[in-house]
Amino acid sequence: MSELDEMPADGVDPADLSNEEAARELARLAQEIAEHDRNYHQLDAPTISDADYDALRRRNQAIEARFPDLIRADSPSRQVGAAPAQGFRKVRHALPMLSLDNAFDDDDVAEFYGRVERFLGLEAGTRIDIVAEPKIDGLSAALLYENGTLVRGATRGDGETGEDVTNNLRVTGDVPHSLTGSDYPERLEIRGEVYMRRDDFFALNEAQETAEKQVFANPRNAAAGSLRQLDFEVTMTRPIRFFGYAWGETSEPLADSLWSARERLSGWGFTLNEPARLCGSLNDVLSHYRHLEESRVSLPFDIDGVVYKVDRLDWQTRLGMVSRAPRWAVAHKFPAEKAQTVLKEIDIQVGRTGTLTPVARLEPVTVGGVVVSNATLHNEDEIERKDVRARDTVVVQRAGDVIPQIVEVVMDRRPKGARRFKFPDVCPECGSAALREQDEAARRCTGGLICPAQAVERLRHFVSRNAFNIEGLGEKQILAFWQEGLVKEPADLFTLSRRNNDEGGIDPPLHEWEGWGQTSVRNLFAAIDLRRDIGFDRFLYALGIRHVGQATARLLSRHYETLDSFLDAMEAARDRDAQAFSDLVDIDGIGPKVADIIVEFFAEPHNLTAVEDLRREVRVQDAEPVESESVIAGKTVVFTGTLETVTRAEAKAKAEALGAKVAGSVSAKTDFVVAGPGAGSKLKKAEELNLTVLSEADWFNLIGAA
Ligand code: IVH
């Protein structure tokens, strides 16, 4: 049995621990904290709240203080953050990027004053000016300027070595590319925080959800995930910004005081983290803390405390640092806002993309100034883990996360007869099977084509450019048709004109609707009729099956050639031991997980009916065989930058029809890189690897098309 397998002495007062227990507890804490560090810094996906994390670190510190001989080489108190992730060039910071010690109450802050006073040998009562500024919940970064021009940007990494994210920081909001004025040092490294505003965070998550991409738990994770993108073109689309509040190496001193240095930063074009205050006393400092705590909800970005910094820079130098933090600063954290209330019931919500999310309906309770009546329970594992039941009394918390969380159940207050929650395996909206994919926490409704929760989203996808490409049908029109009960599934689009003209059909007829006239209705019906003939691959893509994007739809259509043979195969593949299932998995580019999802989609009777309804209205063309003779057959192509004569999707489709594979990133295996204006990192990489780089015109010459 390893040392970690034994019962932890969790919760026992450090003073009561034996030597052996303390050693075991320190080993456990080192392992646990390291894991949380990795989740937070490298995966941007923390699994515990900041408050719980701080509690672990505090416990570690308390035990170490009592048992200094047992401090481990891998002790969390010796580490700053996490080592840099693979993929970016490393940057060694000229001066280490430090972390901050925390203060949790007024006494801790008074102690900070005392420490500063003692260390500097000041007479009791000497005035110590302190700059109190909001602690931004983001991630720190360092920007290096030479002669006023931004030459390098880096993350903190482990404090000694960070990642070179220059391109990403160049496209970050409020990062000056060149400094304003002329009185800046020749060499100047400005440090500060990359963050995302709350409104931008909500908008980003909504877009991510629609695109079935990762949604972020809070603005901090979103900012970190956005900054650490290997492709800066992705970062460019993310609304992250930068606050300057400190500096690293400078070729000349900036000022005598932090307060005046901040003014200089602002003059050079940096946005400062406000509201900050220059405070002359402990009382002053604490009153700014209370002020920020109250106004916290109305700030456009998340803050998790207030940072106090000694204003005099000569004092800062004398105070120096200890282990991972400066002696001249401290972070006064806000307590996690918590409250107890009764959970009335657990509801299941179905998102636009079919995810079933459990939501706790609560007796309304005020948590940190905001009335909370719902809290997320994330997924079924979370309910199981916390054993949350209807009528339980629960602790609710609003920490950095915007959505309130259920921290725990107050077990002593569980009413008699409270039953375990059974997570539904059918969709509460449409009754289709709700399944969990391999290695996924979420359960999803499989009745995409008919489920009302997903309908508008599915229909929007169905008519989109790369699917049925029906002009004049945007989200607005679809929503109106849906709300009026005219279009519930894709086939309904194709019966719309008949129903509009029928006696006793759509009433009032469409051309009498506000915003519609005879012409627009005629145009719409013409646009719909135009798509009654549709390619097999577009047809498949339009169904909106999870993980079946254009590329997969094309693979499937080429492999099965006709819709009939495909549907027969999917029926046979319901038996996972059948040849039909292995055939599907064997298609290059389709793994067992995606195969499962496709088979499940066509096993859902609701979906089959919707597909049959649709087939009565449209003619699905058989797939064209691949041209294996072409010059690019079997080659790998990457498109980057802007294409000027065709869309990216068209170029891709053409290349694939000629038998090429279109990849998203450049590697030694790439045969051609087609680069248009604005090409960035991919082009650079292609040049480094000495690959064949073609212009758009070269490309069309090569494939013999105009
Ligand atoms: S000063 C030498 N000021 O908090 C001290 N840090 O918990 C360097 N942070 O790594 C940091 N707001 O990422 C400072 N106003 C602020 C801050 C701030 C947020 C972050 C920063 C730091 C972390 C430490």
Side-chain angles (χ1 to χ4, degrees):
M1 195 156 85
S2 89
E3 56 177 350
L4 297 175
D5 290 331
E6 289 174 36
M7 274 293 290
D10 201 359
V12 178
D13 187 329
D16 296 336
L17 291 174
S18 69
N19 239 29
E20 207 179 302
E21 283 168 337
R24 218 159 47 215
E25 177 86 345
L26 287 176
R28 182 183 72 88
L29 286 164
Q31 193 188 51
E32 198 173 331
I33 291 171
E35 189 178 317
H36 291 310
D37 280 341
R38 203 176 78 86
N39 291 341
Y40 186 84
H41 290 284
Q42 292 188 3
L43 307 178
D44 302 319
T47 54
I48 59 166
S49 68
D50 288 358
D52 288 347
Y53 174 82
D54 287 338
L56 288 177
R57 283 200 91 105
R58 255 176 295 154
R59 178 152 181 84
N60 188 69
Q61 238 166 19
I63 301 175
E64 286 183 344
R66 182 104 202 155
F67 299 91
D69 296 348
L70 298 179
I71 298 180
R72 302 168 59 91
D74 65 350
S75 160
S77 54
R78 297 188 175 189
Q79 332 278 325
V80 183
Q86 299 294 310
F88 290 106
R89 257 209 348 249
K90 302 205 163 45
V91 171
R92 220 182 144 71
H93 301 297
L95 298 170
M97 287 185 78
L98 301 177
S99 181
L100 291 169
D101 271 340
N102 290 326
F104 295 97
D105 54 30
D106 295 1
D107 288 348
D108 289 350
V109 181
E111 224 168 85
F112 164 71
Y113 264 82
R115 270 199 310 275
V116 169
E117 208 171 68
R118 275 195 308 279
F119 195 92
L120 294 173
L122 302 176
E123 259 179 51
T126 312
R127 180 186 168 114
I128 304 172
D129 278 339
I130 294 285
V131 175
E133 52 185 63
K135 183 170 192 310
I136 313 299
D137 204 4
L139 68 156
S140 46
L143 305 169
L144 182 63
Y145 290 84
E146 280 171 3
N147 300 311
T149 303
L150 176 63
V151 293
R152 196 188 71 197
T155 63
R156 180 174 74 170
D158 64 4
E160 300 291 333
T161 308
E163 298 156 323
D164 184 333
V165 287
T166 309
N167 288 334
N168 304 28
L169 282 165
R170 266 194 232 280
V171 296
T172 297
D174 300 333
V175 168
H177 290 196
S178 46
L179 302 180
T180 311
S182 54
D183 63 336
Y184 39 76
E186 207 177 291
R187 198 172 164 83
L188 171 68
E189 185 197 329
I190 296 299
R191 294 176 173 180
E193 202 82 354
V194 173
Y195 70 102
M196 194 178 285
R197 288 168 59 131
R198 227 176 288 120
D199 52 351
D200 287 334
F201 160 74
F202 283 127
L204 172 67
N205 258 0
E206 209 166 287
Q208 292 284 103
E209 160 116 49
T210 306
E212 294 203 21
K213 291 196 185 136
Q214 178 190 12
V215 294
F216 300 98
N218 53 48
R220 200 214 82 91
N221 293 348
S226 300
L227 181 65
R228 290 164 69 254
Q229 287 287 335
L230 289 172
D231 183 352
F232 80 94
E233 291 182 28
V234 177
T235 307
M236 203 149 68
T237 65
R238 302 284 180 81
I240 50 175
R241 300 163 196 252
F242 179 81
F243 278 132
Y245 53 62
W247 57 92
E249 55 167 330
T250 60
S251 51
E252 53 189 86
L254 297 193
D256 293 334
S257 71
L258 175 57
W259 194 250
S260 37
R262 280 177 66 94
E263 263 165 36
R264 293 196 77 192
L265 257 61
S266 161
W268 293 327
F270 292 97
T271 305
L272 305 182
N273 52 336
E274 302 282 7
R277 186 150 91 192
L278 181 59
C279 303
S281 69
L282 175 60
N283 270 345
D284 235 12
V285 158
L286 294 177
S287 93
H288 193 52
Y289 176 85
R290 313 252 184 271
H291 165 67
L292 279 175
E293 194 176 16
E294 275 162 27
S295 49
R296 170 180 192 193
V297 282
S298 51
L299 288 177
F301 45 83
D302 281 356
I303 64 174
D304 57 353
V306 185
V307 186
Y308 307 141
K309 301 173 180 173
V310 170
D311 185 45
R312 273 182 60 169
L313 299 182
D314 56 337
W315 281 358
Q316 284 194 6
T317 311
R318 278 172 58 197
L319 284 158
M321 59 173 212
V322 58
S323 68
R324 53 200 270 275
R327 268 198 209 89
W328 46 264
V330 73
H332 191 178
K333 299 288 270 279
F334 293 134
E337 297 155 318
K338 286 186 191 170
Q340 280 194 12
T341 188
V342 171
L343 181 151
K344 293 188 292 190
E345 57 184 344
I346 298 174
D347 261 359
I348 303 290
Q349 275 180 350
V350 186
R352 293 212 290 174
T353 56
T355 307
L356 271 56
T357 305
V359 178
R361 304 291 178 203
L362 307 170
E363 283 301 347
V365 61
T366 312
V367 191
V370 176
V371 178
V372 168
S373 43
N374 299 311
T376 176
L377 283 163
H378 300 289
N379 53 50
E380 58 187 301
D381 291 348
E382 174 91 355
I383 300 182
E384 183 102 348
R385 201 161 54 80
K386 295 190 171 147
D387 187 17
V388 181
R389 308 182 184 190
R391 297 188 292 129
D392 267 342
T393 297
V394 292
V395 177
V396 186
Q397 160 176 314
R398 285 177 60 240
D401 293 358
V402 192
I403 308 158
Q405 316 269 344
I406 304 264
V407 185
E408 61 187 358
V409 173
V410 185
M411 287 298 173
D412 317 346
R413 306 190 62 178
R414 168 163 289 170
K416 276 216 178 75
R419 290 231 213 103
R420 259 185 192 282
F421 180 73
K422 172 144 178 13
F423 206 91
D425 51 13
V426 292
C427 171
E429 295 281 343
C430 73
S432 302
L435 300 179
R436 249 175 109 159
E437 289 165 20
Q438 211 182 322
D439 306 326
E440 288 252 352
R443 197 174 270 280
R444 286 195 173 80
C445 166
T446 55
L449 289 180
I450 57 113
C451 179
Q454 303 171 66
V456 172
E457 187 58 27
R458 290 305 171 118
L459 288 165
R460 199 192 52 72
H461 172 79
F462 184 84
V463 302
S464 66
R465 196 150 84 154
N466 296 320
F468 268 68
N469 192 17
I470 299 178
E471 269 180 44
L473 255 188
E475 176 146 2
K476 208 173 96 197
Q477 292 81 3
I478 289 178
L479 193 62
F481 290 162
W482 162 260
Q483 282 168 343
E484 292 302 319
L486 297 184
V487 176
K488 294 212 165 100
E489 53 172 287
D492 297 339
L493 289 168
F494 292 93
T495 59
L496 206 54
S497 70
R498 287 207 295 279
R499 286 183 284 146
N500 199 44
N501 300 332
D502 278 356
E503 280 287 316
I506 298 175
D507 184 27
L510 282 184
H511 58 263
E512 288 175 21
W513 287 25
E514 201 179 310
W516 292 83
Q518 293 281 12
T519 321
S520 48
V521 172
R522 210 176 315 119
N523 287 347
L524 174 65
F525 291 157
I528 293 175
D529 279 341
L530 208 58
R531 303 294 179 227
R532 286 188 191 268
D533 283 298
I534 187 88
F536 181 18
D537 56 338
R538 277 181 180 261
F539 180 90
L540 276 178
Y541 172 69
L543 298 180
I545 307 163
R546 259 175 73 67
H547 299 301
V548 179
Q550 284 175 280
T552 307
R554 232 169 271 135
L555 289 175
L556 292 169
S557 68
R558 292 220 184 95
H559 185 84
Y560 293 98
E561 290 181 19
T562 70
L563 178 57
D564 277 322
S565 59
F566 172 71
L567 289 176
D568 287 347
M570 291 309 104
E571 190 178 345
R574 282 185 214 175
D575 172 3
R576 299 294 196 272
D577 296 328
Q579 184 60 37
F581 190 73
S582 349
D583 283 349
L584 177 62
V585 176
D586 284 347
I587 300 176
D588 190 16
I590 295 191
K593 183 174 157 188
V594 177
D596 245 343
I597 292 169
I598 299 171
V599 173
E600 290 302 337
F601 182 92
F602 291 98
E604 171 56 53
H606 293 134
N607 291 337
L608 282 181
T609 315
V611 169
E612 284 311 321
D613 291 347
L614 186 57
R615 283 189 83 180
R616 272 196 288 281
E617 299 297 327
V618 303
R619 288 170 295 271
V620 181
Q621 313 290 306
D622 297 346
E624 285 172 28
V626 179
E627 292 181 41
S628 56
E629 300 293 277
S630 89
V631 276
I632 59 163
K635 306 277 191 209
T636 300
V637 187
V638 172
F639 293 100
T640 181
T642 321
L643 296 179
E644 289 174 322
T645 61
V646 290
T647 65
R648 185 75 74 93
E650 284 163 341
K652 193 168 169 215
K654 181 77 194 162
E656 284 174 347
L658 292 171
K661 187 168 167 231
V662 178
S665 60
V666 174
S667 74
K669 290 198 197 123
T670 311
D671 296 292
F672 303 110
V673 174
V674 182
S681 55
K682 289 179 195 166
L683 176 57
K684 209 168 127 216
K685 182 140 184 225
E687 281 161 355
E688 278 164 17
L689 292 171
N690 232 341
L691 303 176
T692 310
V693 177
L694 304 174
S695 70
E696 190 174 336
D698 296 341
W699 165 251
F700 284 120
N701 274 338
L702 176 73
I703 62 173

